[in-house]
Amino acid sequence: MKNFISILGSNSDYSTNRLLLQFIQKHFKDQANIEIFEIKNLPAFNKPEDRKAPHEVQELADKIREADGVIISSPEYNHSVPAALKSTLEWLSYTNQALIDKPVMLTGASYGKLGSSRAQSHLRQMLDAPELKARIMPSSEFLIGYSLQAFDDNGNLTDQRKIEALERIFNDFVHFVDITNQLVNANESHQKQAPSYSWEAK
Amino acid sequence: MKLVGIVGSNAEFSYNRLLLNFIAKNFKKLIDVEVLDIKDVPMFNQSDDQTNSEVIQNLNKKIVEADGVIIATPEYNHSIPSALQSVLEWLSFKIHPLDGKPVMIVGASYDVQGSSRSQLHLRQVLDAPGVNAVVMPGNEFLLGEVYDAFDENENLKDAQTAQFLETCIKKFIRFINVVNVLQSPEGMKDLSDAEDLYATGAIDTTVEGIDMSADDWLEQAAEATQAVEGNTYVKLNRGLLTVNQLNYFLNSMPAELTYADSNNQFLYYNHHMEKEDMLAGRRPEQVGSPLAECHPERVFSSVSWVIQQLRSGKQDVVRTQVPTHGPDKFVVHSYQAVRDDNGNYLGINEYVQDIQPVIDWYLEQTGQQLTGGDVDAVSGATSKVDTVSGATAKA
């Protein structure tokens, strides 16, 4: 049984990405305990001099550290990741760097046809930055387009093919978490090197 | 040219703010840049619409009024900061001030990358349909290792870097002019009907009941209004002149002056030369005519465009150079909006000047010379003329 933390990439009161994470939580409950973390109460990142994480951010960081893996579900705003999710990642990279070497799986839902494809590609690039250095699962794109119509009244995905695709990716992720953690433990130098990184490093 | 510079960081200290301040200071002869901070903009949340907050409305207003926008972005996690992202989300949610706006991207970062990846992300964000800015291609200005880039006076240390930045800025000025033509339906569409060039309406000052096209409109209108002339005194703000003095005074102006009112009626020019001797010929019997009768029909669209620029307040003055006077003259037509104390549009003051003698005098007095080779040195001025001349030179 794995312990995962999932981050909802939207701060909106209504979000189909929340529905998606809730579906994942329910659908895979025999394989993993999945907590859904809401970012809407996090303060906006403002690069404080003292580099101290606000307690909400520290709480998230602790949960990430304790989890075997992280699932991030992002909507797409302006071809990119919402500012609220960006801010969350900035806090993590600037303060405690909790995502370093953490296995991450991405999902996304959008109202339109493209299903957050551009946001996910930006998110991958961001998570790959040396300050974040997450271990993102490759070749695992999962997109839900027309997300307002994608769920039934019980919050279940209605498209059986989407459910099967999600199951394949989720199973991959369970293995990916094990493999990645082996790899990371084999080379702990990453951990030592990364915390010294900062945007101010001269 | 009025530009807005947006600092892409909300940090207390930001090298990108320094960079924008440097641009504002160093290129103030080329552009007028107002640097705007985003640190008071709240985090975007679609469930908590704050579009009408003062800080967002202020940004909106400044951007709408600007000819172009320069965004200076740092790079956080290979992307643009959430603070900038949040601003762009607000400015694409209920309001869209960047729609069609020319935008130039610059960026500074501590590492060698100089914000390379975040600039690419920013381009993609600005290209999203809700934002729909027109981003200048190429001319990528990346300032890496920025902690070492400025001297104690906050000027760029490296002359080549500053020179390249100047090149980029000049290209942006040209880009803005091109985009304006491209963007505005005015550039392509027939705008003839946008203005009542036949002056069929009437304003408070219109003298009604007289044929505007009549050769003796002035005489008829003067009689109808019992207009004063000759040695009668007129009280002005601030002064007292006779009508004769006023005429001679206006005739002595170093420009050909023309007044057309907001009803598009040609009311006055400082007549003291024959048509053939003028830079822009006028005939005494034209006074009183609607603007439609003072221009060939093929330029009606351009004339309307100029009036619309002034009437709408988009521009206070539209200038164009008319190159048909030979190499010894540099003749500029300036269409200046006449407004009352409350800013209401009253009409156009078109003044036509040959500014070559002024330039020659300046060079003589200062002992300077024009350098012929550097085309870019005058690109700001020439490109503006180029793009507007299509619309107005014929007018």
Side-chain angles (χ1 to χ4, degrees):
Chain A
M1 196 79 167
K2 294 276 187 278
N3 286 308
F4 293 153
I5 174 137
S6 64
I7 299 173
L8 171 61
S10 165
N11 59 356
S12 172
D13 290 346
Y14 179 78
S15 160
T16 52
N17 279 283
R18 189 181 286 114
L19 292 184
L20 177 58
L21 286 179
Q22 285 166 348
F23 175 75
I24 290 172
Q25 186 181 42
K26 187 170 63 181
H27 195 74
F28 298 107
K29 63 176 187 299
D30 295 335
Q31 287 164 275
N33 293 315
I34 304 173
E35 180 181 347
I36 300 174
F37 188 87
E38 297 272 353
I39 60 172
K40 64 182 171 192
N41 298 322
L42 263 54
F45 177 71
N46 61 353
K47 209 173 159 193
E49 296 272 325
D50 63 4
R51 296 186 154 257
K52 211 167 164 300
H55 68 89
E56 299 93 335
V57 174
Q58 194 53 51
E59 185 197 333
L60 172 60
D62 293 343
K63 285 176 193 286
I64 290 173
R65 287 229 167 83
E66 285 159 22
D68 298 307
V70 179
I71 301 169
I72 304 177
S73 197
S74 175
E76 178 169 305
Y77 291 179
N78 293 331
H79 292 181
S80 189
V81 177
L85 177 55
K86 273 198 158 158
S87 170
T88 306
L89 297 178
E90 285 163 4
W91 276 122
L92 294 176
S93 59
Y94 189 71
T95 57
N96 44 49
Q97 299 182 302
L99 276 168
I100 283 177
D101 286 334
K102 213 34 119 172
V104 174
M105 166 179 157
L106 304 182
T107 62
S110 79
Y111 291 178
K113 193 181 191 170
L114 306 183
S116 80
S117 61
R118 278 91 49 116
Q120 286 200 28
S121 125
H122 274 197
L123 190 50
R124 276 180 186 276
Q125 291 175 307
M126 294 173 65
L127 289 166
D128 213 23
E131 312 92 298
L132 283 167
K133 223 177 204 169
R135 299 284 177 157
I136 319 143
M137 182 162 70
S139 312
S140 62
E141 193 169 66
F142 184 75
L143 311 164
I144 300 279
Y146 298 123
S147 59
L148 287 171
Q149 289 88 41
F151 297 91
D152 66 17
D153 292 344
N154 301 317
N156 294 316
L157 275 174
T158 53
D159 185 343
Q160 192 54 39
R161 284 168 309 175
K162 282 284 177 198
I163 296 178
E164 285 164 15
L166 184 60
E167 285 169 349
R168 278 195 300 274
I169 288 172
F170 192 85
N171 285 329
D172 275 359
F173 186 56
V174 171
H175 292 294
F176 180 76
V177 166
D178 289 336
I179 294 166
T180 303
N181 287 335
Q182 280 174 25
L183 176 76
V184 167
N185 291 334
N187 184 1
E188 287 189 12
S189 62
H190 283 107
Q191 286 281 2
K192 295 187 187 80
Q193 181 193 343
S196 65
Y197 189 93
S198 84
W199 293 310
E200 276 85 8
K202 294 186 180 178
Chain B
M1 188 164 277
K2 240 186 117 43
L3 304 183
V4 161
I6 297 177
V7 182
S9 163
N10 61 351
E12 281 301 323
F13 175 81
S14 159
Y15 279 109
N16 281 283
R17 190 179 295 115
L18 281 195
L19 177 59
L20 282 177
N21 286 340
F22 173 77
I23 288 173
K25 178 178 69 177
N26 205 48
F27 305 119
K28 63 168 178 273
K29 281 185 184 156
L30 294 170
I31 45 175
D32 170 14
V33 184
E34 181 175 4
V35 179
L36 298 176
D37 264 306
I38 60 170
K39 59 173 188 267
D40 297 327
V41 177
M43 171 62 73
F44 176 78
N45 185 330
Q46 62 180 15
S47 309
D48 180 17
D49 183 11
Q50 297 181 60
T51 304
N52 289 327
S53 66
E54 201 182 322
V55 54
I56 292 168
Q57 282 301 318
N58 184 49
L59 270 175
N60 178 52
K61 182 169 176 289
K62 301 270 171 152
I63 291 171
V64 166
E65 287 172 358
D67 296 307
V69 177
I70 302 175
I71 302 179
T73 182
E75 179 167 305
Y76 292 0
N77 298 327
H78 288 189
S79 190
I80 62 170
S82 55
L84 178 56
Q85 188 98 354
S86 174
V87 168
L88 295 172
E89 284 166 4
W90 284 120
L91 300 183
S92 58
F93 184 48
K94 294 285 172 68
I95 50 176
H96 307 271
L98 285 163
D99 191 354
K101 192 67 71 178
V103 174
M104 172 180 176
I105 298 173
V106 296
S109 78
Y110 292 94
D111 58 18
V112 291
Q113 291 288 332
S115 76
S116 64
R117 279 87 49 116
S118 70
Q119 289 199 23
L120 289 177
H121 275 198
L122 183 53
R123 278 181 188 276
Q124 292 176 310
V125 171
L126 291 168
D127 208 27
V131 185
N132 208 28
V134 189
V135 187
M136 179 166 69
N139 303 293
E140 203 172 35
F141 185 80
L142 309 165
L143 190 60
E145 299 176 295
V146 68
Y147 51 83
D148 199 27
F150 291 95
D151 65 18
E152 66 274 20
N153 298 318
E154 301 187 345
N155 291 317
L156 279 176
K157 278 189 207 164
D158 184 47
Q160 260 186 314
T161 305
Q163 181 56 47
F164 178 63
L165 182 57
E166 182 169 342
T167 307
C168 294
I169 294 282
K170 282 176 172 167
K171 293 238 176 83
F172 186 49
I173 294 168
R174 296 185 133 181
F175 180 74
I176 289 173
N177 287 318
V178 171
V179 170
N180 284 343
V181 171
L182 192 75
Q183 276 295 324
S184 52
E186 295 95 322
M188 299 295 160
K189 215 170 68 182
D190 183 4
L191 283 175
S192 304
D193 295 337
E195 280 290 328
D196 176 19
L197 295 178
Y198 287 94
T200 59
I203 55 174
D204 291 351
T205 48
T206 302
V207 183
E208 297 196 69
I210 295 169
D211 178 10
M212 290 181 177
S213 309
D215 285 353
D216 63 343
W217 175 86
L218 173 58
E219 286 67 32
Q220 291 189 51
E223 192 180 333
T225 56
Q226 297 183 309
V228 298
E229 59 182 310
N231 288 319
T232 310
Y233 289 96
V234 181
K235 187 185 176 197
L236 297 160
N237 171 32
R238 175 79 195 163
L240 188 75
L241 296 170
T242 67
V243 178
N244 279 340
Q245 282 177 313
L246 200 51
N247 272 322
Y248 295 132
F249 178 63
L250 291 168
N251 288 349
S252 74
M253 290 292 166
E256 295 169 7
L257 306 176
T258 300
Y259 189 118
D261 69 14
S262 65
N263 189 35
N264 298 332
Q265 187 181 11
F266 169 30
L267 291 181
Y268 169 81
Y269 75 105
N270 57 347
H271 174 225
H272 59 294
M273 280 191 283
E274 295 308 312
K275 177 174 184 280
E276 298 71 42
D277 301 326
M278 295 176 73
L279 295 170
R282 313 261 187 260
R283 284 176 284 110
E285 56 273 23
Q286 283 181 310
V287 168
S289 299
L291 290 179
E293 291 176 13
C294 307
H295 297 89
E297 204 168 325
R298 65 183 164 82
V299 300
F300 280 10
S301 183
S302 318
V303 174
S304 294
W305 181 82
V306 171
I307 300 170
Q308 288 273 297
Q309 293 297 302
L310 306 177
R311 190 188 293 278
S312 67
K314 267 192 191 164
Q315 301 192 58
D316 273 327
V317 59
V318 176
R319 286 186 220 283
T320 179
Q321 185 227 343
V322 178
T324 54
H325 297 271
D328 301 334
K329 290 188 167 73
F330 193 92
V331 175
V332 180
H333 290 228
S334 300
Y335 303 88
Q336 168 89 46
V338 180
R339 303 192 200 281
D340 68 15
D341 292 340
N342 297 319
N344 298 313
Y345 174 75
L346 296 182
I348 300 178
N349 171 10
E350 178 186 356
Y351 54 97
V352 180
Q353 293 166 291
D354 172 18
I355 63 170
Q356 191 62 49
V358 180
I359 296 167
D360 292 343
W361 188 83
Y362 170 79
L363 294 175
E364 196 184 306
Q365 293 298 311
T366 59
Q368 298 186 66
Q369 286 187 326
L370 293 178
T371 52
D374 189 5
V375 176
D376 264 352
V378 285
S379 65
T382 52
S383 66
K384 189 162 190 177
V385 171
D386 279 351
T387 50
V388 183
S389 64
T392 62
K394 286 163 283 182

